[in-house]
Amino acid sequence: MHIGLVGLGKMGGNMRTRLRNAGHTVVGYDRNPELADVGSLTDMVAALPGPDGGARVVWVMVPAGDPTRDTIKELGELLGEGDLVVDGGNSKWTDDQANAAMLGEKGIGFVDCGVSGGVWGLENGYALMCGGSDDDVAKVQPALDALRPEGDHGFVHAGQAPGAGHFAKMVHNGIEYAMMQAYAEGWELLEKVDIVDNVTEVFDSWRAGTVIRSWLLDLLVAALEEDAHLEKIAGYAEDSGEGRWTVEAAIDNAVPMNVIAASLFARFTSRQDDSPAMKAIAAMRNQFGGHATRTEAPAGGDVGPANPA
């Protein structure tokens, strides 16, 4: 099939390559002219077969928020009835509903597609979670088949409603937060004690035969093999937004989400050189129990006295 692809960064560029390797014709546009096949969105749409050649399909892979909204709005002016826009970025599912409604007024279809696979997707394929009507998904199905991993898994049409795919991807990323946090806490405890000598080897041994084996575990082992004590990296972790959206959705739907919420808050903690909340706790302990306070954090972490309040 012919397909337009907007956004040729780490994900989009590899997706273009994977699609071309599968025999599809891809016209790519990026604001960086060194990456782009054409000079503008207008040129990209013009390079796609017109109505007589079937629906024109454009896949958007740009940052969520205004960049995606603005790109889809512009495509709404360039495409026509029967054409299709696919949002493969990390947009919030509520944006999908607005974009689908806007495009629908012009007869343009819309599919939201959560994409997971990162920089390894070129080789391994991308897990794809789509939302949209059966007819719209069918228009882009050849591309979906080329991008997905081989085998029976890695693709789902999550729902007919706009946003179903990105909602599924949002929950996926929330689970990812929690899994990474659990591995990280286990690693910290193993590093802390004297009884375990070979922490990296312990994690490596878990990669086969255990109930906690996963690709994330494989990636952690790869990182530890490069830097066993992670001394070359700062303990600071951003959140892309989807963890927050997952917790917000849990609140809206009264779903208990203790572990995922805690893993999100742990990332916030990572950005503090000195915790303001812990300062308040230290002050209160000093007031009610006369517990000592410190002017700076102890080196190596002090367990403190028994039975502290």
Side-chain angles (χ1 to χ4, degrees):
M1 68 177 293
H2 283 74
I3 187 169
L5 182 59
V6 184
L8 302 170
K10 292 180 181 179
M11 287 278 283
N14 283 345
M15 290 169 68
R16 174 175 61 178
T17 300
R18 187 171 175 91
L19 286 165
R20 286 177 173 171
N21 289 345
H24 298 295
T25 300
V26 184
V27 183
Y29 169 70
D30 193 278
R31 289 191 300 175
N32 182 349
E34 295 182 0
L35 302 176
D37 301 317
V38 292
S40 67
L41 284 179
T42 301
D43 292 342
M44 181 197 68
V45 172
L48 299 174
D52 293 340
R56 292 174 294 189
V57 177
V58 177
W59 189 303
V60 179
M61 287 295 295
V62 300
D66 287 338
T68 294
R69 297 186 198 104
D70 293 343
T71 300
I72 292 176
K73 184 177 180 181
E74 186 174 351
L75 287 171
E77 301 298 324
L78 297 172
L79 297 171
E81 186 171 355
D83 293 337
L84 178 71
V85 173
V86 180
D87 179 5
N90 286 328
S91 295
K92 192 173 184 180
W93 60 279
T94 50
D95 284 357
D96 297 324
Q97 296 174 332
N99 288 329
M102 182 271 293
L103 294 172
E105 293 176 356
K106 304 179 181 184
I108 302 170
F110 179 80
V111 168
D112 60 283
C113 188
V115 180
S116 181
V119 296
W120 296 90
L122 173 58
E123 178 181 352
N124 299 333
Y126 301 88
L128 306 171
M129 294 146 266
C130 288
S133 71
D134 289 334
D135 288 343
D136 285 338
V137 171
K139 292 177 182 178
V140 71
Q141 192 67 55
L144 298 171
D145 290 340
L147 291 170
R148 63 180 290 182
E150 295 182 5
D152 297 331
H153 303 291
F155 170 77
V156 63
H157 184 182
Q160 300 284 323
H166 278 145
F167 195 97
K169 175 60 162 48
M170 176 190 74
V171 175
H172 163 282
N173 280 29
I175 294 170
E176 176 188 300
Y177 274 50
M179 291 176 65
M180 287 194 290
Q181 185 66 26
Y183 285 134
E185 291 175 4
W187 174 79
E188 183 176 355
L189 179 57
L190 286 168
E191 279 277 295
K192 184 75 173 181
V193 301
D194 295 328
I195 194 172
V196 177
D197 298 324
N198 303 312
V199 177
T200 299
E201 288 85 346
V202 169
F203 273 87
D204 188 44
S205 74
W206 293 345
R207 296 170 63 193
T210 75
V211 296
I212 63 167
R213 62 190 184 273
S214 75
W215 187 48
L216 284 173
L217 180 60
D218 295 341
L219 296 176
L220 177 56
V221 170
L224 292 174
E225 287 175 343
E226 294 178 2
D227 181 9
H229 304 292
L230 301 182
E231 295 170 333
K232 300 176 183 177
I233 189 169
Y236 181 105
E238 287 284 5
D239 66 291
S240 62
E242 288 172 301
R244 299 187 189 207
W245 301 339
T246 305
V247 174
E248 290 171 359
I251 293 170
D252 291 341
N253 292 278
V255 173
M257 194 164 279
N258 305 297
V259 175
I260 292 176
S263 67
L264 172 64
F265 296 150
R267 296 201 183 189
F268 299 162
T269 301
S270 79
R271 301 168 205 171
Q272 298 176 333
D273 293 329
D274 190 14
S275 168
M278 288 301 109
K279 290 183 179 183
I281 289 173
M284 287 184 282
R285 292 180 73 249
N286 175 259
Q287 289 292 322
F288 69 66
H291 299 291
T293 60
R294 299 176 184 267
T295 57
E296 60 184 25
D302 187 355
V303 174
N307 301 317

